[in-house]
Amino acid sequence: MRTNLFLIANLLLTSAAVHAADNPADRTMDARAAFARLKGLVGEWQADTSRGKARLTYELIADGTSLVERETGENMPAMLTVYHLDGNRLVLEHYCMAGNQPRMQARSFDPKAGELSFQFLGATNLVNKDAGHMHNATIRFVDSEHLTTAWEFYEGGQRKTTESAEYTRIR
């Protein structure tokens, strides 16, 4: 009986280890390199969107340990997103016009493709799990003068819309 339990336990552990090795979300990403790339965004950016002109302003605060993104637009209230390292992970908190504050963690960073993806961790002021909120975000660093963003809005437990924009550096 002990031998059978030992074999079953080993099989389960081996299966879990193989699954973890194959799961890209579980691989260690270079959060410091991703944050360094984000810091290169300091300045002002502009895009034409379905809502009109949008502007992003990036500023380093707290002795360079946090990057504040201020988003303004012609037909929307201002929003803020703060990016920072938390130990070995890169996180953001988005202060949204939806009235909640989603937190996300960077799950992948491909320096060659210039793509940084964040996934939802939780949120403050979220009425319930089905309430509308930003859930995932992707930033693509096209070059030093261009970037694209895609923010996924979830409601009822599923993606409802994706808000995408192509920004050009203006300062």
Side-chain angles (χ1 to χ4, degrees):
M1 180 72 169
R2 271 188 173 167
T3 304
N4 286 342
L5 287 175
F6 180 74
L7 287 173
I8 291 170
N10 274 334
L11 284 172
L12 289 173
L13 288 172
T14 302
S15 174
V18 168
H19 174 71
D22 290 339
N23 188 349
D26 292 335
R27 291 189 190 129
T28 304
M29 62 158 274
D30 191 344
R32 293 191 188 290
F35 188 55
R37 190 75 177 263
L38 279 170
K39 287 180 175 184
L41 298 176
V42 168
E44 295 180 27
W45 301 76
Q46 188 171 293
D48 291 316
T49 71
S50 60
R51 294 183 182 185
K53 293 241 184 258
R55 177 175 252 153
L56 295 177
T57 303
Y58 291 94
E59 174 188 7
L60 285 169
I61 63 167
D63 197 27
T65 61
S66 297
L67 179 71
V68 175
E69 171 191 282
R70 180 177 176 83
E71 181 179 7
T72 57
E74 293 175 339
N75 299 307
M76 61 180 246
M79 294 183 283
L80 290 175
T81 303
V82 180
Y83 303 85
H84 65 91
L85 292 170
D86 180 20
N88 290 327
R89 58 187 199 149
L90 175 60
V91 295
L92 70 76
E93 186 151 359
H94 176 66
Y95 298 84
C96 189
M97 67 180 165
N100 50 48
Q101 301 79 37
R103 291 180 311 278
M104 300 178 205
Q105 179 177 339
R107 295 295 185 180
S108 67
F109 175 54
D110 182 342
K112 289 181 184 172
E115 191 164 288
L116 175 59
S117 297
F118 290 86
Q119 291 179 347
F120 185 75
L121 290 174
T124 54
N125 291 317
L126 195 60
V127 177
N128 61 53
K129 66 179 183 157
D130 291 329
H133 64 280
M134 289 299 179
H135 197 81
N136 298 317
T138 301
I139 299 170
R140 192 167 77 76
F141 308 93
V142 177
D143 57 37
S144 64
E145 303 300 315
H146 301 91
L147 73 110
T148 63
T149 62
W151 289 79
E152 295 180 357
F153 187 81
Y154 273 53
E155 193 168 53
Q158 59 188 350
R159 185 177 63 208
K160 183 175 180 181
T161 62
T162 300
E163 297 179 17
S164 300
E166 298 177 9
Y167 289 90
T168 300
R169 185 186 297 269
I170 56 174
R171 268 197 249 175

